[in-house]
Amino acid sequence: MKSITLILRFVAVVAAVCLISRGASAQSQQPAVVALTHAKIFTLAGAPIEDGTLVIRDGKIAAVGANVEVPAGAQVIDAKGLQIYPGLFDPITQMGMSEISAVNATVDTTETGAYNPDVVAATAVFPSSEHIPVTRASGITEVLAVPDSGGFDSGGSRGVIGGQASAISLAGWTINEMLIKRSVAMVISWPIIETRTFDFATFSRREKPFSEAKQEYDKQVNELTDYLGRARHYAQAMGHGGPADYQRDLKLEALAPVIRGQLPVLVFADRARDIRNAVEFCDKQKLKMILAGGAEAYKVKDLLRSKGIPVILRPTLSLPIEEDDPYDRLLSQPAELAAAGVKFAFGSFDNSFARRLGQQAANAVAYGLPYDEALKAVTVYPAEIFGVADQVGTLETGKVANIIVTNGDPLELTTDVEFLFIKGQRTSPDNRHQRLFEKYLNRPKAAAAN
Amino acid sequence: MPVNNRLRATLVCALCFLGLPLLTCAATPPDAPPVILIQNATILTVSHGTIERGSILIKDGKIAEVGPSVKAPKDAQVIDAAGQWVIPGIIDCHSHIAVDGSVNEGSVSVSSMVNIADVLNPDDVDIYRDLAGGVTIANVLHGSANAIGGQTVVIKLRWGLPASKLPFEGAVPGIKFALGENPKRSNFSIPGATPRYPTTRMGVEETIRTAFAEARDYKKSWEDYDKRVASGDKSAIPPRRDLRLDPLVEVLDGKRYVHAHCYREDEILMLLRVAKEFGFKVRTLQHVLEGYKVADEIAAAGTGASTFSDWWAYKVEAYDAIPYNAAIMTRRGVIVSINSDDAEEATHLNQEAAKTMKYGGLTHDEALKLVTINPAIQLGIDKRVGSIDVGKDADLAIYNHDPLSAYAVVQQTLIDGRVYFDRKRDIADRANLEKEKKALMQKEKKAGEKKPDATIEIGKKPGAKPDEKKPEEKKPEDKPRPPQTDAISGGVL
């Protein structure tokens, strides 16, 4: 009896896969108005709605609530027993910029040179990347594509200004259709004092005294200071007259919104000392800082709260950075930061592990973070932190309809995304993995194995 | 107490590192109470279903009784697990924890002479971290830089005991094989170095075949010698012993398990073909990310498969990896396990197993087997561990929630009936550890101040006076090798 149930369950899975793959194209034509009815709706802008209706029109949320009337002519999807959430938002990925990390030809994450403020992630986002459908199938509807800092020409093991991060929806025929906002933050890898490095050119380890490493660090910070100083002068010059009046420098020009405090800097730093230095630097330079990484953010939580600096936390599923840190250091940090009033979001810092975003948040709940905070830290908080909360992050009238309909808690490992809407379009969860699954599930039994 | 041991181990490391004299004594193992009763727990036995509000009686490190009600002697130490879940300790079929230094002897394509068991490091803090994730047993493997790699060892995570006490008594030893990009060094090169044979999958096959052809001849020469001796031939000269071929003869004799790192379907079939040619069994295919494409063939060969939950796209041979791999192979009759290959991943193998319920529809029972009884079968230790049955080792993990959930946290981990990890105790000890650390650092700082230059340089003793005449300390001449964390170029994955 039990085995029959198993087989039936298996058949059901296969059938579901077949159904899904029939609607092969990612976004098919659909009626202009769709109404999802009888669902429990978690708007994240108020209390959950028990038996709610959500209406999508022209890519936007037209109405959401308990007593919303279904417009005439709308396609109705009965979502009884299901739950509706804003799609998850992964604020640090290299989505579309890196396909197979070990194959250089498929990687466009990291420009050479230490200062590349003018490069923009969206330019290198490949809309046909297989990572995109795989990621959205797990309920992530938008991400930040974030460039890395390359270049060794300023000393240290990495560059300083990586370029501009872009916010994108995970569906669309072209990058233009995917874009939420082309430039949402300037990426800075905060220089670190490294006494032990690995030199790939000579393939050997290098160890240097602290004083030498500190000198290199100071040199990098001075360079950055100088660079921003020039950008400040340039921005002033830009304010007087047009481009004809001065020689254009596209790199400095790209920093103008940063200097003016319009574009935040996304600063990668993990150690408390580095974070403190970065905060002090941004304070002095009057830059709007967002911290990325923050493995030791808990050590400077009061500083972060008092300066109002939000954090994009590196995966909670990481080992502590110190050998004698508590084993659950990164798992319990989110609860500690929340209690201290520091605003944060979870990030995957990856592509192939982006689908672990919900798992990361749920693990933080297991170690003390209130559930509501965890849910917000993968939806509305990243949207707020990167200034796109007017478009995504909650289910409110007028917002872009990036929506997931699930059969349970979207952070839990076993929950399925039943329906997916991106920019109001019903989007198939079909992806490379499901296609390969279906193909090989149906492989006829090998006649004479081996 | 495991937590104190943890800090002690860490400090010992730190002190050695700074050249300070060793002040702390060796770590001591946790006490082994004669009898433990775990009661009121939801017991997921793996072998015979779930027992609600059940009890487990542990005597002499073994499970003495399991059931809804168990009669315990009065002096039993009681663990009240009301509202908690007990599962067999998690078995990680692919680990590199507790290894001192590099896991790769990457200079040659057949490195069967080296043995991971020789370099076990009982002070590796990852042992404790994995214990805290419910892991009780790890198959500690050599890296994947060679077609035929080093010998491997199954350990219990007996944190606090010396290296000699880590190996699982009586477990069949193993040897690592590796196919594909890593042994052919696709993502790895030392500037200026001559490429090492093989550089193709064709060459990987021939490397293995050549080694086994040699091993066969070597085995025969010993058999001939033994025969001559047995027949009273006193002039018989023994063959020269070959440490490289000895382990391969053990493979041919079925006394050593082959754990083969592989990715693509073609190389999987290649190895099964070569194994057939030379008459040995491949015990497990490791990673085996395309195993779902040739699941029938793997099942027919009686070979186990140990894979990742959802890793993909980190290199070309991982581009067809799918999270449904474990489910498809299970459905086609393969014994499957989910492994970590990584100290961090090992801390949540319960969660990784749970994903197979979503991807491919395995049942709760089937998913749990992927990290308990199935790896036990693969390692040939299922008579001793892998399920909660009378007579088996009391290796258990206790969670505060259904372990196949992202919200479950390990509360206690037991090995041989001893509590090696206790979350409450760990948390309670933190303040003291912090104090102890501060005091030690203060002491160290004082020692440093005596030096003219307060900067501490690695390899120099901070307390040493500059005018002291002592032999020049030579820095260890490390072979250049990639950072351990860079698993792809280092050839671990």
Side-chain angles (χ1 to χ4, degrees), chain A residues 74-92:
Chain A
Q75 185 199 359
V76 178
I77 296 173
D78 185 356
K80 195 170 167 55
L82 300 178
Q83 306 178 359
I84 304 182
Y85 298 86
L88 306 190
F89 188 153
D90 187 344
I92 296 187

Side-chain angles (χ1 to χ4, degrees), chain B residues 472-488:
Chain B
E472 192 87 349
E473 265 185 271
K474 243 186 140 179
K475 278 200 174 182
E477 280 185 44
D478 265 5
K479 272 250 176 203
R481 57 183 185 224
Q484 290 278 308
T485 48
D486 192 347
I488 292 161

Side-chain angles (χ1 to χ4, degrees), chain A residues 6 99 130 198 203 205 324 327-328 352 355-356 359 363 409 412 415 432 441 443 446 450, chain B residues 293 296-297 310 312 319-320 332 345 351-352 355 358 363 405-407 423 430 437 478 480-481:
Chain A
L6 286 187
E99 194 66 18
E130 299 281 5
F198 189 83
F203 221 80
R205 271 191 190 144
D324 58 349
Y327 75 94
D328 60 355
S352 37
R355 62 181 161 193
R356 288 189 174 185
Q359 186 182 5
N363 274 253
D409 172 9
E412 181 58 285
T415 301
R432 178 184 184 85
L441 195 61
R443 181 188 166 198
N450 306 324
Chain B
K293 295 184 181 179
D296 290 345
E297 286 82 354
D310 60 359
W312 76 292
Y319 201 45
D320 272 6
R332 298 252 177 176
E345 185 82 357
Q351 296 179 40
E352 301 316 307
K355 291 175 184 175
K358 174 184 167 83
T363 64
S405 156
Y407 298 106
R423 177 160 167 79
R430 286 177 193 181
K437 183 184 175 184
D478 265 5
R481 57 183 185 224

Side-chain angles (χ1 to χ4, degrees), chain B residues 23-103:
Chain B
L23 299 172
T24 43
C25 56
T28 47
D31 300 328
V35 184
I36 296 180
L37 176 71
I38 302 173
Q39 62 183 27
N40 297 323
T42 301
I43 302 169
L44 307 177
T45 65
V46 172
S47 57
H48 58 284
T50 299
I51 305 167
E52 302 288 349
R53 294 185 60 80
S55 301
I56 302 170
L57 184 68
I58 301 167
K59 277 185 185 166
D60 303 324
K62 302 273 181 189
I63 297 167
E65 268 186 80
V66 192
S69 67
V70 160
K71 271 191 188 158
K74 275 185 182 164
D75 60 341
Q77 181 197 317
V78 176
I79 297 176
D80 186 24
Q84 301 189 336
W85 277 254
V86 185
I87 64 166
I90 288 175
I91 300 172
D92 185 357
C93 200
H94 191 130
S95 174
H96 300 290
I97 63 167
V99 177
D100 189 22
S102 176
V103 299

Side-chain angles (χ1 to χ4, degrees), chain B residues 68-241:
Chain B
S69 67
V70 160
K71 271 191 188 158
K74 275 185 182 164
D75 60 341
Q77 181 197 317
V78 176
I79 297 176
D80 186 24
Q84 301 189 336
W85 277 254
V86 185
I87 64 166
I90 288 175
I91 300 172
D92 185 357
C93 200
H94 191 130
S95 174
H96 300 290
I97 63 167
V99 177
D100 189 22
S102 176
V103 299
N104 272 308
E105 175 49 62
S107 56
V108 285
S109 288
V110 178
S111 65
S112 43
M113 70 297 267
V114 306
N115 193 341
I116 285 290
D118 294 337
V119 290
L120 284 179
N121 170 18
D123 291 334
D124 181 1
V125 69
D126 288 337
I127 297 174
Y128 184 78
R129 289 166 172 166
D130 289 359
L131 258 179
V135 181
T136 52
I137 290 170
N139 186 27
V140 184
L141 299 177
H142 185 270
S144 53
N146 349 63
I148 296 180
Q151 300 164 46
T152 68
V153 60
V154 180
I155 64 167
K156 283 204 177 190
L157 307 195
R158 296 173 180 128
W159 177 248
L161 292 185
S164 61
K165 300 287 188 207
L166 295 185
F168 190 111
E169 317 75 15
V172 177
I175 186 166
K176 178 79 171 279
F177 283 18
L179 316 177
E181 292 180 22
N182 287 8
K184 75 194 190 83
R185 312 317 266 156
S186 302
N187 308 307
F188 178 94
S189 68
I190 300 173
T194 319
R196 192 196 72 185
Y197 180 89
T199 60
T200 67
R201 284 183 169 82
M202 301 180 287
V204 170
E205 176 177 24
E206 290 317 296
T207 302
I208 298 171
R209 291 187 71 234
T210 304
F212 273 96
E214 277 180 59
R216 236 187 202 175
D217 291 346
Y218 175 67
K219 178 172 144 75
K220 188 169 179 302
S221 65
W222 273 103
E223 285 165 356
D224 289 348
Y225 166 75
D226 288 343
K227 248 184 240 164
R228 285 179 68 180
V229 171
S231 69
D233 184 348
K234 287 192 175 149
S235 65
I237 299 169
R240 184 188 172 116
R241 193 157 169 223

Side-chain angles (χ1 to χ4, degrees), chain A residues 335-374:
Chain A
E336 198 174 334
L337 293 180
V342 176
K343 189 169 193 170
F344 62 86
F346 295 103
S348 71
F349 290 56
D350 195 72
N351 285 348
S352 37
F353 287 131
R355 62 181 161 193
R356 288 189 174 185
L357 187 68
Q359 186 182 5
Q360 308 268 6
N363 274 253
V365 174
Y367 286 83
L369 179 68
Y371 177 81
D372 287 354
E373 287 297 303

Side-chain angles (χ1 to χ4, degrees), chain B residues 366-426:
Chain B
E366 287 172 323
L368 191 57
K369 282 182 179 177
L370 299 175
V371 290
T372 54
I373 193 69
N374 285 6
I377 293 168
Q378 293 176 340
L379 296 172
I381 52 177
D382 51 308
K383 295 266 187 303
R384 286 265 309 270
V385 293
S387 64
I388 301 180
D389 284 295
V390 172
K392 282 199 170 181
D393 295 7
D395 291 9
L396 304 164
I398 306 177
Y399 290 81
N400 63 349
H401 200 284
D402 175 359
L404 297 187
S405 156
Y407 298 106
V409 176
V410 176
Q411 303 300 306
Q412 290 188 324
T413 308
L414 287 78
I415 298 175
D416 308 325
R418 295 172 170 196
V419 179
Y420 277 84
F421 168 76
D422 182 330
R423 177 160 167 79
K424 277 198 185 125
R425 210 159 63 192
D426 181 291

